[in-house]
Amino acid sequence: MSEKLTIEQALNEARRCLHCGIPGCRKGCPIQNNIPDFIRALREGNLGAAYEIISERSNLPAICGRVCPHEKQCEAHCVLTKSKRGIKIGSLEMFIADFAHQYGLKPNPKSNGARGKVAVIGSGPAGLTVAGDLAKQNFAVTVFEGQSEPGGVLMFGIPEFRLSKEVVRSEIQQLRNIGVEFRCNVLVGPDITVDDMFANGFDAIFMGTGTALPRTLDIPGKELKNVLTADYYLRMVQLVHNGMLDDQEAILKEGDRVAVIGAGNVAMDAARTAVRRGAKEVTVFYRKTEKEVTAFPSELEAAKREGVHFRYLLEPCAFLDREEMQECTGTRVSVTESASIDLKTADLKERKPVGGILLQKITQMQDGSFLPTKENVLFSCDCVVLAIGNKPAARIVSTTTGIQVDEKGFVITRERPYGMTTRPGVFSSGDVVHGPATVVLAMKESKKVAEGIAQYVDAKRLMNECGS
Ligand code: SF4
């Protein structure tokens, strides 16, 4: 987790860097940020140069400085980490980017748009990376966003306490400064199609639509009130925070008991958000053990520190309303202990508030696999948040022709030009191609796809000039 540094702390930290000939930090950075050089510029007090160096590879340094898992990437590879005092690279990146935003530094000139017209669908990390990289190369880039404000998961998925929305807005402003145009409240599919975009003169189209459809559990009681997906819950809370929704509509009430299903980073975000919004208790349920938790260790520890409870080897098999919970016989499970019950569930009724969960115990076999047992336990709660992953929506693919997806709905792309789908001129990367990943991994792939788009548009224009 990056920490906010004073200028004195940042300079002292920069002075510790050894400026290694073969810098491990750079190797560990998925987008090969020139870390030694930006640290050197910072040490020399040249913050403008430091920001320019960072901006060569990254369009979102203030965001990366906050949400990248530095402890697993650049900082893990820093030579000084072996002596347990690695350079705080994430904190330095954040310091430089924040300074640049505060003083309005603009490292790149505005695009003249002469090299071609590119439409970018979606403004999450993948879309913003492609937009920034192409605008820097003099493409005219228009970003289409379905929400009221750009940023995608950065704006509506990652909670405020992990990533301030003012920081996201500042990064987006930097992209506007280099000529990227944003069109919000436009849903590609219903409002405008890929074919319309080509007809409107775009040379290439990039789909960075992420995995917009949250996975749900197809079990009894799934339709009960207050059984929500984490995407929906986090978006509602952010809309309340942005003043666009009444506090009453943020679903979770102060004093509620909340169950979160899943143990990835989104589950930690949802659990910590519920704690901050005054939940009486928050319990994360996971069908495996703590060893298999997919959230970053730092996020898991942060959730524990904030009082989130964890119950492992349990999987929901029904959501029950309050009456059904009362009708069930047997001992209730608390956040710290469990007991088997003799359960009699009543018929499920529609849209009553959820009152609890029937969970099945899971056992780990000798070969490491996890199998359900016949033992059930009950857990009382007022709200269930499902954080069990996402899948791509078919909105774009189903409203045009020629874009093939695999059996799970992920878009198929090719190596040459890098990132092009089965439809010429339409490119894709990020979660909609590879499944959910971190911000920086989406950026890494998207940088390569931006190169593929540039090659494609150049080649197409050349062929047109030759009369082919
Ligand atoms: Fe500096 Fe560590 Fe990178 Fe070496 S590996 S250049 S000490 S940040």
Side-chain angles (χ1 to χ4, degrees):
M1 181 83 179
S2 302
E3 42 180 299
K4 219 162 172 51
L5 303 176
T6 63
I7 187 154
E8 202 182 347
Q9 288 169 329
L11 289 172
N12 285 339
E13 192 63 12
R15 285 187 197 111
R16 293 204 304 115
C17 175
L18 304 176
H19 304 291
C20 309
I22 304 173
C25 56
R26 194 167 186 186
K27 214 170 112 205
C29 172
I31 57 167
Q32 264 89 56
N33 238 327
N34 191 346
I35 295 164
D37 279 8
F38 80 63
I39 294 181
R40 188 193 302 274
L42 169 63
R43 188 174 73 172
E44 290 165 358
N46 193 343
L47 279 140
Y51 186 54
E52 270 176 35
I53 295 164
I54 292 183
S55 301
E56 282 167 15
R57 299 289 308 160
S58 175
N59 297 302
L60 309 168
I63 292 171
C64 283
R66 286 168 169 85
V67 301
C68 274
H70 298 98
E71 71 277 9
K72 285 170 125 186
Q73 296 173 348
C74 53
E75 291 177 6
H77 286 78
C78 171
V79 69
L80 293 174
T81 297
K82 290 193 191 105
S83 58
K84 299 221 182 315
R85 278 204 67 211
I87 301 289
K88 294 173 185 165
I89 300 165
S91 303
L92 293 181
E93 183 182 24
M94 182 166 102
F95 175 83
I96 294 164
D98 286 354
F99 179 91
H101 290 173
Q102 193 182 347
Y103 291 96
L105 304 186
K106 293 177 186 153
N108 295 295
K110 193 167 178 175
S111 164
N112 63 18
R115 206 163 149 193
K117 255 180 94 178
V118 179
V120 170
I121 308 171
S123 60
L128 294 181
T129 298
V130 168
D133 276 15
L134 291 176
K136 283 179 198 165
Q137 296 177 63
N138 280 326
F139 285 89
V141 182
T142 306
V143 178
F144 294 86
E145 169 56 53
Q147 298 283 337
S148 54
E149 211 181 339
V153 70
L154 303 169
M155 180 58 72
F156 294 104
I158 301 176
E160 182 76 28
F161 63 84
R162 258 199 331 121
L163 179 61
S164 151
K165 302 313 151 199
E166 279 316 306
V167 170
V168 179
R169 290 186 185 108
S170 299
E171 296 281 43
I172 287 167
Q173 185 52 46
Q174 289 292 49
L175 293 171
R176 285 196 168 103
N177 292 341
I178 59 170
V180 176
E181 188 194 336
F182 289 88
R183 288 195 205 158
C184 294
N185 294 313
V186 181
L187 266 186
V188 177
D191 298 335
I192 182 173
T193 64
V194 162
D195 303 277
D196 296 333
M197 287 175 169
F198 280 127
N200 289 341
F202 285 104
D203 297 297
I205 296 166
F206 172 77
M207 290 167 49
T209 42
T211 44
L213 276 188
R215 290 184 196 280
T216 54
L217 288 174
D218 191 16
I219 58 176
K222 65 184 179 199
E223 70 289 342
L224 287 174
K225 205 170 145 194
N226 294 350
V227 175
L228 324 160
T229 63
D231 277 40
Y232 181 76
Y233 173 56
L234 292 171
R235 181 175 299 126
M236 289 298 117
V237 172
Q238 192 56 49
L239 287 172
V240 169
H241 188 89
N242 291 356
M244 296 163 77
L245 201 67
D246 190 83
D247 199 34
Q248 293 301 310
E249 293 181 64
I251 303 138
L252 197 150
K253 307 282 176 296
E254 221 174 291
D256 275 356
R257 295 153 303 166
V258 179
V260 177
I261 314 298
N265 289 318
V266 176
M268 301 306 127
D269 283 346
R272 294 172 69 192
T273 300
V275 170
R276 282 169 162 75
R277 290 193 58 79
K280 184 173 158 197
E281 66 184 32
V282 181
T283 309
V284 169
F285 289 96
Y286 184 43
R287 70 181 305 278
K288 296 182 180 175
T289 72
E290 182 167 336
K291 248 169 69 192
E292 286 81 26
V293 163
T294 53
F296 298 145
S298 55
E299 295 302 313
L300 176 66
E301 288 312 312
K304 284 183 186 170
R305 268 200 311 278
E306 290 172 21
V308 175
H309 301 275
F310 286 82
R311 298 300 312 271
Y312 298 105
L313 296 170
L314 287 169
E315 180 173 56
C317 44
F319 301 121
L320 309 175
D321 68 34
R322 286 168 194 162
E323 274 172 39
E324 288 162 344
M325 282 296 285
Q326 277 169 9
E327 285 165 19
C328 290
T329 55
T331 314
R332 298 295 191 267
V333 178
S334 77
V335 292
T336 52
E337 56 181 282
S338 64
S340 299
I341 58 154
D342 167 25
L343 179 80
K344 288 181 223 140
T345 53
D347 286 341
L348 295 170
K349 293 140 201 133
E350 276 188 9
R351 297 301 293 168
K352 287 190 172 183
V354 71
I357 317 175
L358 172 66
L359 297 134
Q360 195 165 26
K361 285 190 174 180
I362 306 285
T363 186
Q364 185 166 22
M365 310 305 282
Q366 277 195 334
D367 65 359
S369 62
F370 295 90
L371 288 181
T373 69
K374 290 203 165 76
E375 267 186 273
N376 289 325
V377 292
L378 272 177
F379 183 80
S380 296
C381 60
D382 308 298
C383 181
V384 177
V385 182
L386 301 172
I388 50 173
N390 282 36
K391 56 187 177 182
R395 210 176 352 96
I396 299 174
V397 172
S398 63
T399 54
T400 188
T401 53
I403 304 173
Q404 284 178 15
V405 296
D406 68 14
E407 66 285 353
K408 289 184 177 158
F410 291 101
V411 173
I412 296 168
T413 58
R414 49 197 273 175
E415 290 287 313
R416 230 172 107 81
Y418 195 84
M420 193 160 85
T421 67
T422 45
R423 173 152 181 187
V426 180
F427 292 72
S428 191
S429 76
D431 296 0
V432 72
V433 174
H434 307 283
T438 60
V439 169
V440 75
L441 289 177
M443 286 170 62
K444 177 187 174 187
E445 271 301 297
S446 303
K447 290 187 82 61
K448 285 163 73 181
V449 177
E451 272 313 303
I453 295 172
Q455 285 166 4
Y456 171 83
V457 176
D458 286 348
K460 193 179 140 196
R461 295 202 144 201
L462 186 63
M463 296 298 278
N464 284 344
E465 279 166 30
C466 297
S468 308

